[in-house]
Amino acid sequence: MASRCWRWWRWSAWSRLRPPPSRSTPTPGFCQQFSTQEKTPQICVIGSGPAGFYTAQHLLKHHPQAHVDIYEKQLVPFGLVRFGVAPDHPEVKNVINTFTQTARSDRCAFLGNVVVGRDVSVPELREAYHAVVLSYGAEDHQALGIPGEELPGVVSARAFVGWYNGLPENQKLTPDLSCDTAVILGHGNVALDVARILLTPPERLEKTDITETALGVLRQSRVKTVWIVGRRGPLQVAFTIKELREMIQLPGTRPILDPADFLGLQDRIKEVPRPRRRLTELLLQTAVEKPGVEEAARRAQASRAWGLRFFRSPQQVLPSSDGQRAAGIRLAITRLEGVGEAIRAVPTGDIEDLPCGLVLSSVGYKSRSIDPSVPFDPKRGVIPNIDGRVVDVPGLYCSGWVKRGPTGVIATTMTDSFLTGQVLLQDLKAGLLPSDPRPGYAAIQALLSSRGVRPVSFSDWEKLDAEEMSRGQGAGKPREKLVDPQEMLRLLGH
């Protein structure tokens, strides 16, 4: 039976998932192990991004009685799908349709506008539910830890992405795009997203869901050159070939790559895995091959440029002459030592100063500790866990970035969250979770009410969703995002 269940789960994880089953509908595989007479397990998921929704989806699909409540600190659901995916990548956001089906299940409830750790504690949730899953993602950015990082003109890529994607907490950001050159520190997909948004002709963004405020600032931008800087080499970049290809083909721009960075790479890439090899071949081709006539003409006419700088590690943000803002960045030139996973960049002793008026730090996201009762590894920025079970806290689980660190794409998070859901259901079946009835949200609702907290339901979100789409329709956009929580609450009559 176990092997059959595993094979079925592996197939279902990658298939196009159907809506969660209704309360009365039996589902195949894993859920058949549960008695239909079994008491309703009350499960709480904290965070409504991909990790939270995929965990909930798996639990609902594989247990015919389970009830899942999803708590979210924002008034709106979907986490990084809404606030992290670039506005010119609408196809990636289609996963929201699947999450909406999950939220509409009669065994699932969305509870927005509830800050776990402030409005309600994790111990209180554990008292009310049979199991609690922490899926709240990575809300902070990794600091650079260098002199001058606090200067105006230095912005975290996370905040910049939140600003143009309508994250309420980032709407007061006022990025100064009056400079000629911007530097992005980091060689991941977020770095390329930010570079692409900075250099994309604004008219190409007008029909996306980028905020009107951000679009207005980008229309006035004077940024002509974007350097994307990393401390290691071409073989270690963290972005994917899709994002690289988009940058190479970006209208009105030309790429700048130093052929010297690629010396000897042609032979070395023969042994690397195929995805990495294809990515490196594209980098190599762009750096060293002479473009065709049409491409050469396109590049010659380009008014903007972007470049990848390798083997450079930030040492200091250089201030302007009056000391009032960033005017450049000092980079240590590095070389690689070690092999495989142990490879690292070490300074050679040489430095380079790169003038710029804007520095965007894209060296990684970081999770926070949500509650003193939850174990947390501040160095790694994760909750210590074994296969999603929080260490030494029975009945507490985690999924997504807070479980494994801020790596991977949405499909990675899906697989990871399904595994956490499977582990939780195994523990439930084995009698490792409380067997007594639990009140679930009924108990938490009373607590929140006594504290003056009024949650936002999924039907509330659907009203806000309709308002956003209506506002976007006049401008030919899929939506105009609401960015002011107070306005959202007024629209809901709260």
Side-chain angles (χ1 to χ4, degrees), residues 151-330:
L151 285 168
V154 182
V155 181
S156 80
R158 183 196 181 282
F160 189 75
V161 169
W163 169 72
Y164 65 63
N165 271 332
L167 182 61
E169 67 193 60
N170 296 134
Q171 292 316 295
K172 291 182 180 178
L173 193 73
T174 53
D176 185 353
L177 307 185
S178 63
C179 58
D180 176 80
T181 302
V183 168
I184 303 172
L185 301 172
H187 275 172
N189 277 342
V190 173
L192 263 60
D193 278 349
V194 169
R196 195 177 66 255
I197 295 299
L198 280 172
L199 295 175
T200 294
E203 59 270 19
R204 290 175 63 92
L205 296 173
E206 289 173 351
K207 303 305 181 185
T208 73
D209 66 0
I210 193 170
T211 67
E212 195 56 44
T213 299
L215 192 55
V217 174
L218 289 166
R219 285 193 183 108
Q220 302 301 315
S221 172
R222 296 180 184 174
V223 175
K224 299 296 182 188
T225 304
V226 176
W227 291 107
I228 308 163
V229 178
R231 57 194 169 86
R232 299 193 291 177
L235 277 175
Q236 288 78 40
V237 296
F239 51 74
T240 55
I241 194 169
K242 176 181 181 289
E243 277 68 24
L244 174 62
R245 193 175 285 118
E246 283 181 308
M247 285 301 300
I248 293 169
Q249 297 171 352
L250 190 61
T253 69
R254 60 187 175 87
I256 308 171
L257 281 79
D258 185 350
D261 289 332
F262 297 85
L263 292 174
L265 217 56
Q266 188 73 58
D267 293 330
R268 291 168 58 197
I269 60 175
K270 293 175 182 175
E271 305 302 320
V272 301
R274 186 171 181 270
R276 169 70 64 182
R277 186 172 70 250
R278 289 178 61 239
L279 171 62
T280 312
E281 284 171 346
L282 182 56
L283 282 170
L284 194 59
Q285 175 188 335
T286 308
V288 303
E289 290 187 11
K290 186 177 179 180
V293 175
E294 190 176 324
E295 176 63 11
R298 187 188 75 83
R299 293 184 188 182
Q301 293 171 2
S303 60
R304 298 180 177 188
W306 61 274
L308 291 167
R309 301 292 279 266
F310 299 101
F311 309 110
R312 302 288 190 275
S313 178
Q315 298 298 292
Q316 178 186 353
V317 177
L318 302 173
S320 55
S321 56
D322 60 5
Q324 295 303 301
R325 60 172 296 105
I329 187 153
R330 177 159 293 166

Side-chain angles (χ1 to χ4, degrees), residues 236 268 335-346:
Q236 288 78 40
R268 291 168 58 197
R335 68 172 184 272
L336 299 183
E337 288 187 355
V339 292
E341 295 297 317
I343 201 165
R344 60 194 184 96
V346 297

